[in-house]
mmCIF file of all heavy atoms in Angstrom:
data_model
loop_
_atom_site.group_PDB
_atom_site.id
_atom_site.type_symbol
_atom_site.label_atom_id
_atom_site.label_comp_id
_atom_site.label_asym_id
_atom_site.label_seq_id
_atom_site.Cartn_x
_atom_site.Cartn_y
_atom_site.Cartn_z
ATOM 1 N N SER L 154 -15.444 -22.950 5.179
ATOM 2 C CA SER L 154 -16.227 -24.163 5.153
ATOM 3 C C SER L 154 -17.726 -24.015 5.424
ATOM 4 O O SER L 154 -18.482 -24.702 4.834
ATOM 5 C CB SER L 154 -15.570 -25.186 6.119
ATOM 6 O OG SER L 154 -15.604 -24.742 7.433
ATOM 7 N N ASN L 155 -18.017 -23.065 6.300
ATOM 8 C CA ASN L 155 -19.433 -22.933 6.645
ATOM 9 C C ASN L 155 -19.928 -21.510 6.615
ATOM 10 O O ASN L 155 -21.040 -21.163 7.017
ATOM 11 C CB ASN L 155 -19.680 -23.574 8.070
ATOM 12 C CG ASN L 155 -18.839 -22.859 9.141
ATOM 13 O OD1 ASN L 155 -18.366 -21.870 9.031
ATOM 14 N ND2 ASN L 155 -18.714 -23.588 10.288
ATOM 15 N N ARG L 156 -19.066 -20.657 6.229
ATOM 16 C CA ARG L 156 -19.361 -19.149 6.060
ATOM 17 C C ARG L 156 -19.658 -18.459 7.374
ATOM 18 O O ARG L 156 -20.282 -17.412 7.387
ATOM 19 C CB ARG L 156 -20.556 -19.003 5.038
ATOM 20 C CG ARG L 156 -20.281 -19.582 3.764
ATOM 21 C CD ARG L 156 -21.391 -19.177 2.725
ATOM 22 N NE ARG L 156 -21.105 -19.733 1.444
ATOM 23 C CZ ARG L 156 -21.756 -19.435 0.361
ATOM 24 N NH1 ARG L 156 -22.790 -18.537 0.366
ATOM 25 N NH2 ARG L 156 -21.564 -19.985 -0.827
ATOM 26 N N SER L 157 -19.402 -19.033 8.401
ATOM 27 C CA SER L 157 -19.609 -18.483 9.758
ATOM 28 C C SER L 157 -18.505 -17.397 10.039
ATOM 29 O O SER L 157 -17.359 -17.526 9.553
ATOM 30 C CB SER L 157 -19.659 -19.442 10.859
ATOM 31 O OG SER L 157 -18.413 -20.030 10.974
ATOM 32 N N LYS L 158 -18.893 -16.329 10.753
ATOM 33 C CA LYS L 158 -17.919 -15.358 11.169
ATOM 34 C C LYS L 158 -17.127 -15.781 12.389
ATOM 35 O O LYS L 158 -17.748 -16.051 13.427
ATOM 36 C CB LYS L 158 -18.693 -13.966 11.460
ATOM 37 C CG LYS L 158 -17.763 -12.802 11.769
ATOM 38 C CD LYS L 158 -18.551 -11.593 12.145
ATOM 39 C CE LYS L 158 -19.367 -11.149 10.988
ATOM 40 N NZ LYS L 158 -20.025 -9.762 11.298
ATOM 41 N N ILE L 159 -15.836 -15.888 12.208
ATOM 42 C CA ILE L 159 -14.979 -16.326 13.299
ATOM 43 C C ILE L 159 -14.752 -15.106 14.306
ATOM 44 O O ILE L 159 -14.813 -15.332 15.558
ATOM 45 C CB ILE L 159 -13.701 -16.797 12.762
ATOM 46 C CG1 ILE L 159 -13.897 -18.085 11.934
ATOM 47 C CG2 ILE L 159 -12.714 -17.174 13.914
ATOM 48 C CD1 ILE L 159 -12.623 -18.550 11.159
ATOM 49 N N SER L 160 -14.449 -13.998 13.778
ATOM 50 C CA SER L 160 -14.083 -12.901 14.689
ATOM 51 C C SER L 160 -14.105 -11.546 13.992
ATOM 52 O O SER L 160 -13.970 -11.479 12.764
ATOM 53 C CB SER L 160 -12.705 -13.087 15.331
ATOM 54 O OG SER L 160 -11.735 -13.198 14.500
ATOM 55 N N THR L 161 -14.299 -10.514 14.782
ATOM 56 C CA THR L 161 -14.154 -9.141 14.287
ATOM 57 C C THR L 161 -13.115 -8.419 15.159
ATOM 58 O O THR L 161 -13.243 -8.449 16.250
ATOM 59 C CB THR L 161 -15.533 -8.362 14.360
ATOM 60 O OG1 THR L 161 -16.441 -9.002 13.529
ATOM 61 C CG2 THR L 161 -15.259 -6.911 13.913
ATOM 62 N N ILE L 162 -11.980 -7.900 14.472
ATOM 63 C CA ILE L 162 -10.884 -7.397 15.197
ATOM 64 C C ILE L 162 -10.903 -5.923 15.017
ATOM 65 O O ILE L 162 -10.637 -5.483 13.884
ATOM 66 C CB ILE L 162 -9.637 -8.126 14.875
ATOM 67 C CG1 ILE L 162 -9.809 -9.653 15.126
ATOM 68 C CG2 ILE L 162 -8.445 -7.597 15.582
ATOM 69 C CD1 ILE L 162 -8.865 -10.465 14.291
ATOM 70 N N ASP L 163 -10.941 -5.250 16.025
ATOM 71 C CA ASP L 163 -10.852 -3.749 15.883
ATOM 72 C C ASP L 163 -9.397 -3.283 15.806
ATOM 73 O O ASP L 163 -8.574 -3.688 16.659
ATOM 74 C CB ASP L 163 -11.562 -3.030 17.079
ATOM 75 C CG ASP L 163 -11.415 -1.554 17.089
ATOM 76 O OD1 ASP L 163 -11.526 -0.954 16.018
ATOM 77 O OD2 ASP L 163 -11.238 -0.940 18.163
ATOM 78 N N LEU L 164 -9.047 -2.505 14.881
ATOM 79 C CA LEU L 164 -7.695 -1.940 14.722
ATOM 80 C C LEU L 164 -7.623 -0.470 15.105
ATOM 81 O O LEU L 164 -6.664 -0.019 15.622
ATOM 82 C CB LEU L 164 -7.203 -2.146 13.295
ATOM 83 C CG LEU L 164 -7.206 -3.585 12.745
ATOM 84 C CD1 LEU L 164 -6.803 -3.533 11.324
ATOM 85 C CD2 LEU L 164 -6.284 -4.484 13.567
ATOM 86 N N ALA L 165 -8.645 0.266 14.904
ATOM 87 C CA ALA L 165 -8.655 1.721 15.084
ATOM 88 C C ALA L 165 -8.341 2.064 16.515
ATOM 89 O O ALA L 165 -7.779 3.120 16.801
ATOM 90 C CB ALA L 165 -9.968 2.257 14.621
ATOM 91 N N SER L 166 -8.776 1.245 17.495
ATOM 92 C CA SER L 166 -8.487 1.607 18.960
ATOM 93 C C SER L 166 -7.062 1.505 19.292
ATOM 94 O O SER L 166 -6.642 1.951 20.358
ATOM 95 C CB SER L 166 -9.347 0.709 19.787
ATOM 96 O OG SER L 166 -8.950 -0.735 19.582
ATOM 97 N N LEU L 167 -6.205 0.964 18.479
ATOM 98 C CA LEU L 167 -4.757 0.901 18.819
ATOM 99 C C LEU L 167 -4.056 2.215 18.625
ATOM 100 O O LEU L 167 -2.947 2.461 19.173
ATOM 101 C CB LEU L 167 -4.146 -0.089 17.840
ATOM 102 C CG LEU L 167 -4.595 -1.586 17.969
ATOM 103 C CD1 LEU L 167 -3.942 -2.440 16.866
ATOM 104 C CD2 LEU L 167 -4.325 -2.158 19.348
ATOM 105 N N LEU L 168 -4.696 3.171 17.933
ATOM 106 C CA LEU L 168 -4.006 4.371 17.568
ATOM 107 C C LEU L 168 -5.074 5.542 17.382
ATOM 108 O O LEU L 168 -5.949 5.274 16.588
ATOM 109 C CB LEU L 168 -3.152 4.305 16.382
ATOM 110 C CG LEU L 168 -2.268 5.449 15.963
ATOM 111 C CD1 LEU L 168 -1.049 5.528 16.925
ATOM 112 C CD2 LEU L 168 -1.795 5.353 14.516
ATOM 113 N N PRO L 169 -4.965 6.708 18.053
ATOM 114 C CA PRO L 169 -5.880 7.757 17.809
ATOM 115 C C PRO L 169 -5.610 8.346 16.369
ATOM 116 O O PRO L 169 -4.461 8.265 15.839
ATOM 117 C CB PRO L 169 -5.583 8.814 18.888
ATOM 118 C CG PRO L 169 -4.195 8.422 19.268
ATOM 119 C CD PRO L 169 -3.954 6.959 19.147
ATOM 120 N N GLY L 170 -6.662 8.967 15.861
ATOM 121 C CA GLY L 170 -6.513 9.604 14.436
ATOM 122 C C GLY L 170 -7.480 8.961 13.421
ATOM 123 O O GLY L 170 -8.336 8.153 13.731
ATOM 124 N N GLY L 171 -7.287 9.382 12.249
ATOM 125 C CA GLY L 171 -8.073 8.809 11.117
ATOM 126 C C GLY L 171 -7.617 7.439 10.768
ATOM 127 O O GLY L 171 -6.358 7.098 10.854
ATOM 128 N N HIS L 172 -8.619 6.617 10.227
ATOM 129 C CA HIS L 172 -8.295 5.331 9.858
ATOM 130 C C HIS L 172 -9.006 4.839 8.610
ATOM 131 O O HIS L 172 -10.136 5.220 8.406
ATOM 132 C CB HIS L 172 -8.641 4.301 11.049
ATOM 133 C CG HIS L 172 -7.847 4.611 12.202
ATOM 134 N ND1 HIS L 172 -6.448 4.359 12.382
ATOM 135 C CD2 HIS L 172 -8.157 5.178 13.405
ATOM 136 C CE1 HIS L 172 -6.051 4.671 13.488
ATOM 137 N NE2 HIS L 172 -7.090 5.230 14.163
ATOM 138 N N LEU L 173 -8.417 4.020 7.774
ATOM 139 C CA LEU L 173 -9.027 3.388 6.665
ATOM 140 C C LEU L 173 -8.243 2.072 6.410
ATOM 141 O O LEU L 173 -7.148 2.095 5.862
ATOM 142 C CB LEU L 173 -9.039 4.207 5.445
ATOM 143 C CG LEU L 173 -9.855 3.567 4.319
ATOM 144 C CD1 LEU L 173 -10.755 4.671 3.589
ATOM 145 C CD2 LEU L 173 -8.999 2.996 3.205
ATOM 146 N N ALA L 174 -8.756 0.963 6.852
ATOM 147 C CA ALA L 174 -8.147 -0.405 6.657
ATOM 148 C C ALA L 174 -8.279 -0.769 5.186
ATOM 149 O O ALA L 174 -9.363 -0.864 4.652
ATOM 150 C CB ALA L 174 -8.798 -1.438 7.485
ATOM 151 N N ASN L 175 -7.144 -0.769 4.537
ATOM 152 C CA ASN L 175 -7.172 -0.906 3.028
ATOM 153 C C ASN L 175 -6.911 -2.263 2.463
ATOM 154 O O ASN L 175 -7.658 -2.894 1.796
ATOM 155 C CB ASN L 175 -6.196 0.119 2.382
ATOM 156 C CG ASN L 175 -6.491 0.487 0.967
ATOM 157 O OD1 ASN L 175 -6.791 -0.485 0.159
ATOM 158 N ND2 ASN L 175 -6.602 1.731 0.633
ATOM 159 N N ASP L 176 -5.673 -2.810 2.671
ATOM 160 C CA ASP L 176 -5.278 -4.005 2.005
ATOM 161 C C ASP L 176 -4.673 -4.973 3.103
ATOM 162 O O ASP L 176 -4.231 -4.554 4.161
ATOM 163 C CB ASP L 176 -4.286 -3.689 0.909
ATOM 164 C CG ASP L 176 -4.258 -4.942 -0.095
ATOM 165 O OD1 ASP L 176 -5.214 -5.798 0.019
ATOM 166 O OD2 ASP L 176 -3.477 -4.934 -0.988
ATOM 167 N N VAL L 177 -4.647 -6.221 2.794
ATOM 168 C CA VAL L 177 -4.207 -7.254 3.725
ATOM 169 C C VAL L 177 -3.462 -8.309 3.046
ATOM 170 O O VAL L 177 -3.618 -8.682 1.831
ATOM 171 C CB VAL L 177 -5.555 -7.834 4.316
ATOM 172 C CG1 VAL L 177 -6.480 -8.450 3.266
ATOM 173 C CG2 VAL L 177 -5.179 -8.846 5.443
ATOM 174 N N THR L 178 -2.421 -8.920 3.787
ATOM 175 C CA THR L 178 -1.713 -10.013 3.335
ATOM 176 C C THR L 178 -1.566 -10.994 4.605
ATOM 177 O O THR L 178 -1.846 -10.656 5.679
ATOM 178 C CB THR L 178 -0.375 -9.652 2.784
ATOM 179 O OG1 THR L 178 0.213 -10.752 2.135
ATOM 180 C CG2 THR L 178 0.677 -8.970 3.804
ATOM 181 N N ILE L 179 -0.836 -12.121 4.377
ATOM 182 C CA ILE L 179 -0.755 -13.115 5.463
ATOM 183 C C ILE L 179 0.611 -13.788 5.122
ATOM 184 O O ILE L 179 1.018 -14.011 4.086
ATOM 185 C CB ILE L 179 -1.914 -14.086 5.407
ATOM 186 C CG1 ILE L 179 -1.983 -14.943 6.601
ATOM 187 C CG2 ILE L 179 -1.938 -14.832 4.154
ATOM 188 C CD1 ILE L 179 -3.238 -15.749 6.866
ATOM 189 N N ASP L 180 1.204 -14.217 6.371
ATOM 190 C CA ASP L 180 2.454 -14.978 6.243
ATOM 191 C C ASP L 180 2.104 -16.445 6.543
ATOM 192 O O ASP L 180 1.035 -16.881 6.872
ATOM 193 C CB ASP L 180 3.462 -14.429 7.190
ATOM 194 C CG ASP L 180 3.265 -14.700 8.684
ATOM 195 O OD1 ASP L 180 2.386 -15.579 9.010
ATOM 196 O OD2 ASP L 180 3.790 -13.895 9.559
ATOM 197 N N PRO L 181 3.098 -17.368 6.396
ATOM 198 C CA PRO L 181 2.908 -18.801 6.542
ATOM 199 C C PRO L 181 2.494 -19.293 7.915
ATOM 200 O O PRO L 181 1.823 -20.290 8.059
ATOM 201 C CB PRO L 181 4.186 -19.417 6.136
ATOM 202 C CG PRO L 181 4.860 -18.413 5.349
ATOM 203 C CD PRO L 181 4.477 -17.161 5.923
ATOM 204 N N ASP L 182 2.608 -18.416 8.918
ATOM 205 C CA ASP L 182 2.294 -18.758 10.300
ATOM 206 C C ASP L 182 0.869 -18.336 10.584
ATOM 207 O O ASP L 182 0.417 -18.492 11.749
ATOM 208 C CB ASP L 182 3.194 -18.146 11.271
ATOM 209 C CG ASP L 182 4.647 -18.773 11.176
ATOM 210 O OD1 ASP L 182 4.732 -19.991 10.927
ATOM 211 O OD2 ASP L 182 5.578 -17.939 11.392
ATOM 212 N N GLY L 183 0.131 -17.702 9.669
ATOM 213 C CA GLY L 183 -1.242 -17.095 9.851
ATOM 214 C C GLY L 183 -1.253 -15.736 10.373
ATOM 215 O O GLY L 183 -2.385 -15.365 10.691
#
Side-chain angles (χ1 to χ4, degrees):
S154 61
N155 58 20
R156 303 189 178 190
S157 64
K158 186 184 295 183
I159 297 172
S160 60
T161 298
I162 301 158
D163 177 39
L164 303 174
S166 61
L167 297 174
L168 183 76
H172 298 287
L173 188 136
N175 197 314
D176 201 9
V177 58
T178 192
I179 190 167
D180 70 20
D182 295 325

